[in-house]
């Protein structure tokens, strides 16, 4: 592990911003810290950077405990949520700052800064001040500035939060490619799961100062380990009484039954439905075109949830009565989560 | 006034029950003219007239008596002492102001509120009382007095006392100007610089100073203006030793007390000129500062 946090605790006053945080990140990986606002993501990032000291626990970078190493000597690149560009310096001087501090010679600085300006696609903007740039351009300058001194670790705090949706999409891909190309180890903070899924190699889910789960995006999506992750991750709806849907085991006491759109199959009355006997009748409340599918919201057994239908399938109308079949549900109890499969599926495997 | 009237017009302007909209705007125009006239008149009576009077009285007997009056050795030494006290006060308060403002805005610590309140103390305490406090602290009845006497360092009725009093009363001016700017900047840029390996002094010079430069200049101007005009606290600590511990404002008082009106006005005119110079500098600083801020 290149970066490792061991039993990190941090309190502000009586408030636990980090509660026994543990995780490790391999060299060259781009990892997302994903969690709702206030879950302690920024705090973790600031402790790794050395801007904040943990109350207890160890932070290890490249095999060395860095708790006592001041921020200025950790050699970490940091992109602030607000970018924190030096507003009285030009783009060029912003990027050159870290190199000048290192007393690199002028020619080398010039070469590196101009190279970076080109890399971020801002050639000809070197003499501009941050206030004369768009949000996306500022973000890229902040990125280049953090990278200029060749850090081995790059930390980014909600790097896309202040950028409009269209540019954001572009920047995400750009950032991902760039980081892998440079071979640095990166951690970025986000509260947006789509962003985390799209950009990162691995996701660390945080909640209330704790790490809920770590794993690859697909891993976490398929196997949420805690009640929190199962409802936080993905588009989820709750069923008030899952036993009212046919063919699920009764596990006794539970808190929430959660379905995702891909857990649900909606068929028109005249369509073929293999598990018709286990389907429940529902009423279509809404349909939404989603680009590559139609999202259908149904009302069924006093619950509202959605499913997707292909663009090539016959359209369903609002108010239409349809068959609703649920393949799987996540059922949570306390901190635990359990995946329940519809028994109709199991019977079939037995038969075959 | 009927209930109907009150409903239709704004309560501020309608007095005479003028109900239609046009009368209302006309009314607000009249209000505008009245307010401007009152303000101008007030400024004229309170500021312009006295200034003209000072200059007029100073030159009433002609240029030669004026020049004689202001080249009087006592006046010259008063001018020098005033400038000396002002410069020292500005230097000390600049250093202190920077430290205090920095400490308050960049760190979280216990007693911060108390410190902020304490910084304001000199403007809330009457200058006379401030003077008395220093007399009690450093004068004959003080426990420090034997020590001060043994090293031959007199504070009360001596130049150090004057400087001390001036520093005290101008204490908050600079830190008060910088604080809001530092607060608004937050610590992000400094942290970013630190993460790139910059040390404290570099961070201050390259990041913080450019940001607070204009606020600092403005604070210095205010501090200088206040330092030059200080009368109360200095008066208590001065002892009025002519040619030694008398500042310009005190010199004016002395001349006035001796019924030497023309010389009193002549000396006052020096202060007026200094004040005008400071006002001009202030306007320039403010103007440039604003333009920079907009960029
Ligand atoms: N400097 C601080 N002083 C007091 N409380 C703080 C400070 N920094 C963070 N917190 C608290 O710690 C919690 C976690 O904050 P943060 O790490 O910024 O969350 P996130 O980045 O996930 O939104 C929040 O409730 C926040 O109020
Ligand atoms: Mg945050």
């Amino acid at each position: 592990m290149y970066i490792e946090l061991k039993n990190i605790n941090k309190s502000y006053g009586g408030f636990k911003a980090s509660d026994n945080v543990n995780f490790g990140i391999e060299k060259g990986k781009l990892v997302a810290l994903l969690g709702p606002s206030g879950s302690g993501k920024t705090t973790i990032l600031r402790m790794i950077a050395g801007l904040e000291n943990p109350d207890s626990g160890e932070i290890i970078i490249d095999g060395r405990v860095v708790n006592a190493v001041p921020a200025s000597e950790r050699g970490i690149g940091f992109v602030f949520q607000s970018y924190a560009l030096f507003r009285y310096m030009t783009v060029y001087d912003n990027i050159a700052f870290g190199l000048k501090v290192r007393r690199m010679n002028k020619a080398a600085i010039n070469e590196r800064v101009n190279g970076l300006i080109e890399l971020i696609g801002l050639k000809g903007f070197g003499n501009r001040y941050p206030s004369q740039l768009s949000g996306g351009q500022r973000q890229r300058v902040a990125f280049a500035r953090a990278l200029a001194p060749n850090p081995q670790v790059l930390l980014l705090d909600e790097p896309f939060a202040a950028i409009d949706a269209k540019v954001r999409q572009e920047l995400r891909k750009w950032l991902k490619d760039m980081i892998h190309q440079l071979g640095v180890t990166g951690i970025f903070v986000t509260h947006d799961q789509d962003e985390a899924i799209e950009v990162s190699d691995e996701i660390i889910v945080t909640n209330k100062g704790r790490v809920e789960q770590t794993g690859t995006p697909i891993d976490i999506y398929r196997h949420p380990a805690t009640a929190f992750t199962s409802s936080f991750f993905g588009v989820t709806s709750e069923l008030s009484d899952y036993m009212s849907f046919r063919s699920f085991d009764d596990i006794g006491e539970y808190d929430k039954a959660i379905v995702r759109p891909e857990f649900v199959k909606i068929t028109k009355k005249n369509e073929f439905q293999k598990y018709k006997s286990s389907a429940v009748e529902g009423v279509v409340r809404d349909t939404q075109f989603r680009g590559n599918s139609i999202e259908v919201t149904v009302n069924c057994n006093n619950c509202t949830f959605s499913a997707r239908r292909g663009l090539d399938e016959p359209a369903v109308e609002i108010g239409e009565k349809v068959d609703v079949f649920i393949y799987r549900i996540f059922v949570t109890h306390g901190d635990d989560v359990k995946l329940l499969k519809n028994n109709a599926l199991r019977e079939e495997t037995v038969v075959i | 006034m009927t209930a109907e009237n009150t409903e239709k017009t704004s309560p501020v302007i309608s007095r005479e029950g003028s109900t239609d909209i046009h009368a209302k705007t006309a009314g607000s125009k009249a209000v505008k003219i009245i307010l401007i006239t009152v303000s101008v008149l007030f400024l004229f009576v309170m500021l312009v007239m006295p200034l003209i009077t000072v200059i007029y009285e100073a030159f009433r007997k002609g240029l030669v008596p004026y020049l004689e009056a202001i080249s009087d050795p006592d006046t010259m030494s008063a001018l020098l002492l005033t400038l000396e006290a002002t410069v020292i006060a500005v230097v000390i308060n600049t250093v202190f102001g920077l430290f205090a403002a920095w400490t308050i805005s960049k760190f979280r610590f216990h007693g911060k509120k108390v410190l902020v309140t304490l910084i304001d103390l000199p403007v809330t305490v009457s200058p006379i009382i401030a003077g008395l406090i220093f007399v009690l602290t450093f004068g004959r009845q003080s426990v420090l007095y034997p020590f001060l006497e043994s090293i031959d360092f007199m504070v009360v009725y001596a130049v150090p006392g004057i400087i001390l009093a001036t520093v005290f009363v101008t204490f908050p001016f600079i830190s008060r100007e910088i604080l809001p700017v530092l607060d608004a900047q937050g610590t992000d840029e400094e942290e970013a610089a630190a993460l790139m390996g910059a040390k404290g002094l570099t961070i201050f010079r390259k990041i913080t100073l450019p940001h607070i430069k204009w606020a600092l200049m403005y604070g210095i101007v205010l501090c200088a203006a206040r330092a030059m005009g200080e009368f109360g606290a200095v008066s208590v600590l001065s002892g009025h030793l002519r040619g030694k511990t008398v500042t310009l404002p005190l010199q004016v008082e002395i001349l006035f007390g001796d019924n030497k009106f023309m010389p009193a006005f002549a000396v006052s005119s020096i202060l007026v000129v200094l004040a005008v110079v400071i006002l001009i500098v202030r306007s320039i600083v403010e103007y440039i500062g604003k333009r920079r801020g907009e960029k």
Side-chain angles (χ1 to χ4, degrees):
Chain A
M1 289 291 156
Y2 191 69
I3 301 173
E4 226 176 331
L5 269 68
K6 282 189 178 163
N7 308 320
I8 295 288
N9 287 285
K10 173 80 184 174
S11 297
Y12 292 112
F15 184 84
K16 278 211 118 170
S18 289
D19 189 355
N20 199 35
V21 168
N22 284 285
F23 61 78
I25 295 168
E26 278 169 49
K27 194 173 172 69
K29 286 269 190 289
L30 178 53
V31 173
L33 270 175
L34 172 68
S37 182
S39 62
K41 307 180 296 287
T42 299
T43 304
I44 291 173
L45 220 56
R46 289 175 61 82
M47 286 190 293
I48 298 174
L51 294 172
E52 216 74 67
N53 286 318
D55 300 336
S56 65
E58 281 183 341
I59 297 171
I60 300 161
I61 298 176
D62 202 9
R64 189 165 70 120
V65 178
V66 296
N67 288 43
V69 180
S72 59
E73 286 160 30
R74 286 195 194 179
I76 287 176
F78 199 106
V79 176
F80 285 79
Q81 186 167 4
S82 59
Y83 309 145
L85 294 176
F86 307 136
R87 68 191 86 178
Y88 293 102
M89 292 185 202
T90 59
V91 167
Y92 183 98
D93 288 335
N94 261 283
I95 300 174
F97 186 86
L99 306 174
K100 284 181 183 160
V101 165
R102 253 151 260 239
R103 299 188 196 294
M104 227 163 112
N105 79 58
K106 262 220 168 93
I109 291 179
N110 203 26
E111 195 186 316
R112 174 115 183 101
V113 174
N114 285 327
L116 279 164
I117 288 180
E118 201 157 318
L119 184 81
I120 59 171
L122 286 180
K123 215 174 165 192
F125 285 67
N127 286 324
R128 294 233 189 156
Y129 285 88
S131 59
Q132 300 168 315
L133 301 175
S134 73
Q137 292 169 334
R138 278 180 217 176
Q139 205 265 346
R140 283 181 280 171
V141 174
F143 184 73
R145 183 181 71 175
L147 284 179
N150 260 328
Q152 290 307 297
V153 176
L154 184 65
L155 308 176
L156 308 107
D157 194 357
E158 311 234 3
F160 310 109
I163 293 171
D164 55 90
K166 217 173 137 207
V167 185
R168 199 185 309 166
Q169 199 66 29
E170 249 168 65
L171 275 175
R172 280 178 189 167
K173 189 168 162 19
W174 181 83
L175 179 76
K176 182 176 183 170
D177 295 346
M178 205 58 75
I179 285 180
H180 285 145
Q181 196 181 315
L182 294 166
V184 300
T185 307
I187 305 177
F188 79 100
V189 161
T190 180
H191 61 261
D192 178 346
Q193 49 166 314
D194 293 336
E195 192 165 291
I197 290 168
E198 188 173 332
V199 181
S200 64
D201 302 314
E202 209 168 288
I203 295 177
I204 297 168
V205 182
T206 60
N207 178 37
K208 294 185 179 152
R210 291 188 309 265
V211 169
E212 292 274 338
Q213 189 171 0
T214 58
T216 60
I218 189 83
D219 227 25
I220 295 182
Y221 193 76
R222 286 208 182 125
H223 311 289
T226 65
F228 174 79
T229 343
S230 65
S231 58
F232 179 70
F233 221 73
V235 182
T236 56
S237 316
E238 250 180 76
L239 304 181
S240 49
D241 175 18
Y242 78 88
M243 287 303 289
S244 65
F245 294 87
R246 242 166 281 165
S247 310
F248 285 103
D249 283 343
D250 188 354
I251 62 154
E253 245 183 277
Y254 70 96
D255 300 327
K256 284 185 190 173
I258 296 158
V259 287
R260 291 184 183 150
E262 66 272 23
F263 293 2
V264 182
K265 178 82 187 164
I266 289 180
T267 44
K268 287 167 87 81
K269 287 287 185 188
N270 58 2
E271 276 180 305
F272 171 71
Q273 164 61 280
K274 199 170 172 188
Y275 311 108
K276 198 144 194 152
S277 59
S278 294
V280 185
E281 187 174 272
V283 179
V284 176
R285 282 277 163 254
D286 194 17
T287 60
Q288 263 306 307
F289 177 56
R290 287 282 178 226
N292 50 6
S293 65
I294 307 267
E295 185 180 325
V296 181
T297 308
V298 288
N299 205 318
C300 189
N301 289 351
N302 296 324
C303 307
T304 308
F305 47 88
S306 54
R308 298 206 182 91
R309 273 175 72 86
L311 295 175
D312 49 352
E313 289 177 284
V316 294
E317 307 289 331
I318 293 175
E320 185 176 336
K321 286 200 168 72
V322 288
D323 286 325
V324 178
F325 177 76
I326 297 177
Y327 294 95
R328 298 184 286 280
I329 19 177
F330 286 126
V331 184
T332 69
H333 186 219
D335 245 358
D336 291 329
V337 58
K338 207 170 175 181
L339 179 71
L340 291 188
K341 281 190 180 147
N342 197 317
N343 290 330
L345 302 170
R346 195 180 306 156
E347 278 157 21
E348 182 190 45
T349 47
V350 172
V351 171
I352 291 176
Chain B
M1 216 194 251
T2 65
E4 191 189 329
N5 279 345
T6 358
E7 245 171 44
K8 276 189 185 168
T9 57
S10 98
V12 186
I13 299 158
S14 84
R15 272 282 147 71
E16 304 307 322
S18 56
T19 46
D20 73 291
I21 300 290
H22 296 291
K24 192 172 131 189
T25 48
S28 70
K29 212 175 250 168
V31 168
K32 185 176 155 191
I33 292 170
I34 291 170
L35 283 180
I36 292 176
T37 315
V38 167
S39 319
V40 170
L41 264 179
F42 183 80
L43 277 177
F44 187 79
V45 172
M46 299 300 289
L47 286 171
V48 183
M49 225 164 65
L51 282 178
I52 293 173
T53 311
V54 167
I55 305 290
Y56 173 77
E57 287 294 330
F59 285 98
R60 204 162 54 137
K61 290 183 181 162
L63 189 63
V64 179
Y66 174 81
L67 289 178
E68 255 169 35
I70 63 168
S71 58
D72 176 81
D74 283 358
T75 302
M76 286 316 282
S77 75
L79 173 62
L80 286 180
L81 181 58
T82 297
L83 291 179
E84 182 188 341
T86 302
V87 168
I88 294 178
V90 164
V91 169
I92 291 179
N93 284 333
T94 301
V95 173
F96 165 79
L98 283 173
F99 274 112
W102 179 270
T103 314
I104 289 166
S105 71
K106 303 295 171 187
F107 301 111
R108 270 167 282 154
F109 56 92
H110 291 289
K112 189 158 145 172
K113 284 224 172 75
V114 178
L115 186 60
V116 175
T117 315
L118 273 182
I119 288 178
D120 278 339
L121 195 66
V123 278
T124 49
V125 166
S126 157
I128 300 275
I129 295 175
L132 283 174
I133 292 169
F134 284 120
V135 169
L136 290 177
T137 316
F138 298 108
R140 264 173 217 289
Q141 58 283 81
S142 151
V143 281
L144 291 173
Y145 191 74
F147 169 72
L148 290 171
E149 199 174 27
S150 71
I151 57 164
D152 206 16
F153 185 78
M154 289 293 103
V155 174
V156 178
Y157 306 148
V159 173
I162 304 239
I163 291 169
L164 197 64
T166 311
V167 169
F168 181 81
V169 295
T170 56
F171 203 54
F173 286 88
I174 293 176
S175 49
R176 271 286 148 204
E177 287 300 316
I178 311 171
L179 248 180
V181 186
L182 274 182
D183 265 348
Q185 187 195 14
T187 44
D188 279 7
E189 285 180 46
E190 275 97 1
E191 283 180 348
L195 281 165
M196 282 181 265
K199 292 284 186 301
L201 201 61
T202 315
I203 296 176
F204 179 75
R205 253 186 35 234
K206 294 278 172 81
I207 312 295
T208 316
L209 198 56
H211 197 81
I212 60 170
K213 198 161 59 186
W214 296 106
L216 179 63
M217 297 269 218
Y218 189 59
I220 288 176
V221 171
L222 284 183
C223 176
R226 182 74 178 79
M228 273 185 223
E230 172 50 23
F231 177 81
V234 165
S235 173
V236 177
L237 282 163
S238 152
H240 297 76
L241 308 172
R242 294 188 190 197
K244 280 193 188 132
T245 62
V246 173
T247 60
L248 278 182
L250 295 181
Q251 178 73 358
V252 173
E253 189 210 13
I254 290 169
L255 290 170
F256 199 76
D258 291 350
N259 287 334
K260 296 177 182 163
F261 295 128
M262 199 285 291
F265 279 114
V267 176
S268 303
S269 74
I270 303 177
L271 279 171
V272 169
V273 169
L274 288 174
V276 170
V277 168
I278 285 181
L279 276 182
I280 292 172
V281 172
R282 194 197 100 151
S283 305
I284 295 174
V285 165
E286 229 174 16
Y287 176 72
I288 301 177
K290 231 181 229 147
R291 266 197 9 199
R292 292 289 161 99
E294 276 162 11
K295 198 173 71 177

